[in-house]
Structure formats: C-alpha cells, structure tokens
Amino acid sequence: MKKQEEQITGRLHSIETMGLVDGPGIRTIFFLQGCPLRCLYCHNPDTQDLNGGRIITPAEILQLSNRYKPYQGDDGGVTFSGGEPLLHGEFLAETVKLLKENDFNVCIDTSGYGQKEYYSQIFPYVDTILLDVKAFSEQAYLDMCFVKQKPLIDFMNQLEDYGFHGQIWVRHVMVPGYTDNKKSMQELIQTIEPIQHLVERLEILPYHTMGKDKYEELNMPYLLENVDPMDKEKAKEFEVYANVLLAEQMSKDRLDLKEKQDDENYRLESNISFKEQNKIIESFTDLPLLRNLDPKILNNIQNQLIVKKLDKEEFLFQSGDDPNYMYIIYSGAIKIYNVLPNMKEQIFYIYRKDDFVGGHNLLSDSKYWYTGEALMDTVVIAIPATIFNTYFSNKKSVLKEILSQSFARIRWAEDLINRLATLNSSVKTAGLILRLAENFGIKKNGQIQVPMEFDRAEMSNFSGLTRDSLTRKLGEFEELGYIHIENEILTILNFDALESYLD
Ligand code: SF4
C-alpha cells in the first residue's frame, strides 16, 4: 500500500467475478498483491511480490463491486484474497468501510499476517474471515511457510478485541506426508481453540499441483516436486474427522465452563460447616418431595447438594435470575414477592419447612419473575439444575409432587386475587388470618394458633392493606373476641365469625 497524491491505494493482482467457494454465495474476489509467507504449495506464487500487480483505489474497488453486484445476489458479496490482503492495512480499512456503507457483504481470506495497527479499523466491517491455517507448530510453520507461527496465534487471540463479530471459515491445505494424519487433525483443533466459537465451517483442502507451471515461468524452484496431489476422498475423510473433533472440543469446553460456574456457585453459596451440612443432608431423604425416589439415586446425589444458610432479609434469588437450582426449605421461611409499580411489595407466597421453589422454573427453563427472600434466619437445600434435570425431571413421583404443589399455589393465588380485589379491610384481614391458619396454623387445646413469625409490615404486604389498617383491624378483631394475640402467637377464638366475612 502506498499513498499517491494523498490518495490511499493498494495493489491488485487480479479479479474473479463469479467466485463460488471463497465465502458465502457468489463473490466478486479481489486478489491483492504481496504476501509475507512462502508456502511450499502456493499455487499463486505470482501474488507474493508486494511490488507486483497494479495500483487500485478504494473508490475503484467500490465501482467494480457495484458493477458485479447483480451477480452476487442476496447471499454473496465481495472477498479480498491474495497474496495476503491484510498487508494493505490502510487501503483495506478504507475499502471495507466504503463497501459496508454501500451494503456489501465483506469477506477476507487471510493467513493472519498483516499490518495489525489497522485491524481495529478493518474487522468491525468484516462479515466472514476465511482463515488459512497452514501448520500446527512453530517448526512446522517454518518448514511449510518460512514464517513463525506466533503471529497467527496472536491474531486468533485478539480477533474479537479488534471488533470482529462475524463468522470464520477455517481452511487447511493438506499435503501428503505433512498433515495427512489424525494427529495433525487433533493439533489443528487445538490450534484453533481461541476462535472455535466463531467457526462456522472447517474445510480440509486437498493439495494440488495446478500452480506448478507458474514456478517455471517465474524461474522459482518448486520444493514439492516429488509430492503427489492429495487424494480428495482421503482429504474428505480427514475433514469429517476434524469436524467431529471440533464439535467434541466445543461441547467439552461448554461443559467445563458449566462445571466451573457450578463450582463457583458451590463455593459462593455453601456457607455452613461440613458437619452441619452432612447432618442436614442426612435428613434430605425424608423430605416429602423425595420420599418415593430410588434410594440409590439419593445416595448418588447427596454430595452434590448445597446447603445454604440465609440471614433474615437475605435474597435466595431475584426477579430475572436464571433458574440454576431447585430449593427445598429445610428451616425458616422464604417470602416470594414482587415490587409493584407503586413500589409497594406484594407477597404472593410464604414457603416453610419442606416446601420447595424453583422446580417449575427448571422444568420450563424460565427465569424467576419474582424474588425469594428470607423472612427469618433460614436454611435451604439447593439441588443444582444438572442434578435436577438428570435425576428428577423425569421421575413421575417428583413431577406429581410438583404438580400438586402447583395446584395448591394456584388456589392460593386465586384466593389472593379475591382478597386483593375487595376494598373492604375486614374481608382482607379475615381472609389473611384464615389463609395463614390453613398453611401455618397449629392445633392446640382445640384452637388454631398461628405463629406470627413475620412482622406487621410483612403481613400488610401479604394482605394488600396498609400497615396501619391491618393493625387497626387486628385490634378490632381482638376486641370482638375473634382472635387473641400474645407472645407473637395469634390464636383464633371464633373461626366461624372470621369465615362469615368471606361467604
Ligand atoms: S499465504 Fe497464500 S499467497 Fe501467501 S504464500 Fe501462502 S499460499 Fe501463497
């Protein structure tokens, strides 16, 4: 690249107007002149000299691209190949920007060796990179291309930092006696690990000798003189093998990442002594939810459970969180609520010992749309999503428990709607007391007692009344002899009278 009369220019070797393999769809391919590599198999050695070809401007590239646009259709576009197009950094930066402004799909065929100071001006405008990976070690690169491998490794590692958000087609030319073996394919997959998540296609191109005559014309030695072309079918077999390896590596990396996240969660969330945790988990098998589960399964999963102690007002999860666990309440209570547009907290449910939450979210893979917070000091057992999905989600007995809990929650929600819909504070208060009695009440001396483990603010959030109205109404009910409150215990003295408000 040079500047002529302040004009940014590059050097063009040739144009191909109907390229079918160098990027998606039909491509107009500009082969730029010059390459720092000297690949033994290069079939375009005439593109290597940086001073060859003819001078071209970005405007001329745009003009030519527009001329051939009708052939490119909806899927095609413009490809820059070479030589090594990234050797023309300033020219390419100007050109790809111009092409993008004119709505062209842009593809660059590169070996990753160029003027990296321009990369952040080039790659935000590139849709596809055809990345030629020549060999898989420092020495092999020197032997095959007479350059070091490191620039390619750096290129792959920094590509996204340069603003590249497109896809990559990885290509490797397979030369018999060099990389036509499984070990090389394994090394190829390891080499491209930094960019594997961007790889859309992995191609093994069989070495051919069609460029051989050009070496004679250029009076250059052809160093693969005695090497036969690569058998196309064998190359295809290696291509299939490499693609399988790539898929396996990507899936393994995804699992490793998931395990790492789960591990981090484990470390983050488990905050209880080992001894205490074991004691709690021992009682795990007695939980109603799990009572019909195969004891062998319970045995297998026990060491993967997380016991978490929450202080009063500590969050278990928040609205918008992913469902990573199903939680079983071991002791204490969790309130489930949302903050309404008027900033008032509306409690939907209060979960106590042996209740569970999160199972529905795991089954439907949906985020929490409410918040779970400890109403008091609480201990929960967390079942990680991986365990739930493997052992629980397909067990009839567990699904039945979840379903029956759903039914109870729907009933509870319907009741809540009814209570909130009425404007009458007596009805709201009576409904709240009876609902609490049904869920948390204890029968004692022929009466029902409700432990008042949550304060008046919580109760008002539950009932849809202001705190003052609720306190006043509870006082009235005491005076009427319907209830008696002492030592944080509400005793129902006249059940029928309270029920009459709801008839
Ligand atoms: S990178 Fe391409 S153009 Fe350069 S020497 Fe190798 S094959 Fe030839």
Side-chain angles (χ1 to χ4, degrees), residues 279-294:
K279 205 178 115 214
I280 289 169
I281 286 178
E282 266 171 30
S283 68
F284 179 72
T285 50
D286 299 332
L287 293 169
L289 173 70
L290 310 170
R291 67 167 77 98
N292 293 319
L293 215 57
D294 183 346

Side-chain angles (χ1 to χ4, degrees), residues 35 37-39 41-44 47-48 82-84 111 134:
C35 182
L37 280 70
R38 293 292 178 266
C39 305
Y41 55 72
C42 180
H43 59 270
N44 287 322
T47 64
Q48 291 174 358
E84 172 51 72
S111 306
K134 315 283 184 182

Side-chain angles (χ1 to χ4, degrees), residues 192-245:
I192 62 170
E193 190 167 12
I195 49 145
Q196 65 181 19
H197 55 292
L198 302 173
V199 174
E200 273 296 316
R201 196 181 278 201
L202 171 59
E203 295 176 319
I204 302 298
L205 309 178
Y207 160 73
H208 61 74
T209 53
M210 284 186 286
K212 212 166 156 182
D213 292 346
K214 290 187 184 172
Y215 283 79
E216 273 177 35
E217 284 167 24
L218 294 167
N219 204 16
M220 289 167 68
Y222 190 65
L223 298 174
L224 293 180
E225 190 64 57
N226 299 319
V227 178
D228 289 333
M230 179 72 204
D231 182 283
K232 285 183 184 164
E233 280 184 17
K234 274 195 183 160
K236 190 42 96 183
E237 282 171 21
F238 281 117
E239 185 176 273
V240 171
Y241 177 67
N243 273 283
V244 169
L245 289 181

Side-chain angles (χ1 to χ4, degrees), residues 21-24 27 78-81 84-86 92 96 100 105-113 118-120 122-133 152 154-172 192 194-203:
V21 293
D22 293 315
R27 320 288 305 179
V78 175
T79 295
F80 293 92
S81 186
E84 172 51 72
L86 293 179
L92 204 57
V96 293
K100 264 284 155 233
N105 179 286
V106 176
C107 176
I108 289 183
D109 180 7
T110 177
S111 306
Y113 293 75
Y118 293 105
Y119 287 177
S120 53
I122 295 172
F123 286 109
Y125 302 109
V126 176
D127 300 290
T128 304
I129 294 175
L130 308 180
L131 184 63
D132 305 314
V133 181
L152 170 70
D154 292 346
F155 178 78
M156 290 191 292
N157 280 321
Q158 290 162 22
L159 200 45
E160 285 175 282
D161 296 338
Y162 295 133
F164 178 67
H165 301 298
Q167 57 169 342
I168 299 179
W169 293 10
V170 171
R171 294 167 149 190
H172 170 68
I192 62 170
I195 49 145
Q196 65 181 19
H197 55 292
L198 302 173
V199 174
E200 273 296 316
R201 196 181 278 201
L202 171 59
E203 295 176 319

